[in-house]
Amino acid sequence: ALDGAGLHADLSTVVLTAVDFGANAAAGAGGGARFVGGTVSVVGGAAASNAAARGGALSCAGSAVVDLNGTTFVENAASLGGAIDVGNADEGACTLSGVGVNCSHNHADPPTRIMSHGGGCAAVGERSTFTLTGSILRSNKADRGGAVAALGTVAFDGCAVEENAAAGAGGG
């Protein structure tokens, strides 16, 4: 699939409860799932071993509003946002917020880019917002931003950001 190998939703209302996405691969964005616009609620579930050029597990774009609650992202890979890609400079104002999210052992590798960014998450849309509360970002790796590479608005509250690695800048 080009985008959203497991699920692709445009301008939709999506509710996922205890849904797992595993071993999906997309050439473009969102190996597990891609959301363009719309409103998305993800409760529980896991995304493991997914891959894409952007957002190995999940990618949101446009005016998408994505809420994660108790979701696990592990061993996903992309060159931009190993697990999660929150928007892009030319794709509008995407908002992703999470409570109790576990984002561990994801990696950004540079097969399609000169450098990889955001082992756990890349929030590179200037108008995008990425917020985590009571969440874990652990053992993620990238060239830049082992845990998170950000250009937009990023906020953490009561999170554990530990053991992440960056070859260039911002290990976390």
Side-chain angles (χ1 to χ4, degrees):
L2 177 59
D3 293 327
L7 171 65
H8 188 280
D10 286 331
L11 304 173
S12 302
T13 299
V14 178
V15 178
L16 302 172
T17 304
V19 175
D20 295 335
F21 290 90
N24 296 291
R34 169 85 162 157
F35 304 109
V36 181
T39 304
V40 180
S41 173
V42 181
V43 179
S49 302
N50 297 286
R54 291 180 26 210
L58 185 151
S59 177
C60 63
S63 58
V65 176
V66 179
D67 290 312
L68 305 174
N69 191 333
T71 307
T72 298
F73 297 90
V74 64
E75 297 183 4
N76 298 286
S79 57
L80 180 65
I84 301 169
D85 166 38
V86 183
N88 197 332
D90 59 348
E91 293 182 332
C94 180
T95 301
L96 187 141
S97 56
V99 175
V101 172
N102 179 355
C103 188
S104 302
H105 301 281
N106 301 286
H107 54 95
D109 295 318
T112 59
R113 293 182 177 267
I114 295 171
M115 297 187 83
S116 63
H117 293 78
C121 177
V124 296
E126 291 179 12
R127 297 177 297 170
S128 294
T129 303
F130 176 60
T131 305
L132 287 179
T133 303
S135 297
I136 299 168
L137 291 159
R138 179 180 293 133
S139 299
N140 300 291
K141 65 180 183 175
D143 289 329
R144 296 203 173 178
V148 175
L151 179 59
T153 301
V154 176
F156 295 152
D157 182 13
C159 295
V161 181
E162 54 196 31
E163 301 174 16
N164 298 286

